[in-house]
Amino acid sequence: MTPKSIIGFILTLVGLVGLIYGGIDFTKGGVAQASFVYLILGGVLFFAGISLIRTTKG
């Protein structure tokens, strides 16, 4: 594994945790801005990690 793919894997995991936490907070009635921040940042990190893994060869 190259350092780029390791960083992509970490970004994917952190993004997934953010999406899960934001989703749980949102479904429990947390309509505050924090829920949306977790969802948006989680989505950005998740898709950035997936794209970094895809573009890394090896």
Side-chain angles (χ1 to χ4, degrees), residues 11-58:
L11 283 175
T12 304
L13 287 179
V14 170
L16 190 61
V17 168
L19 283 171
I20 291 171
Y21 185 73
I24 289 172
D25 191 33
F26 187 71
T27 57
K28 286 187 177 181
V31 191
Q33 288 180 340
S35 299
F36 294 117
V37 170
Y38 289 129
L39 287 172
I40 290 170
L41 283 178
V44 166
L45 290 175
F46 180 76
F47 289 113
I50 291 293
S51 103
L52 189 60
I53 291 172
R54 279 188 180 175
T55 58
T56 305
K57 295 181 181 178

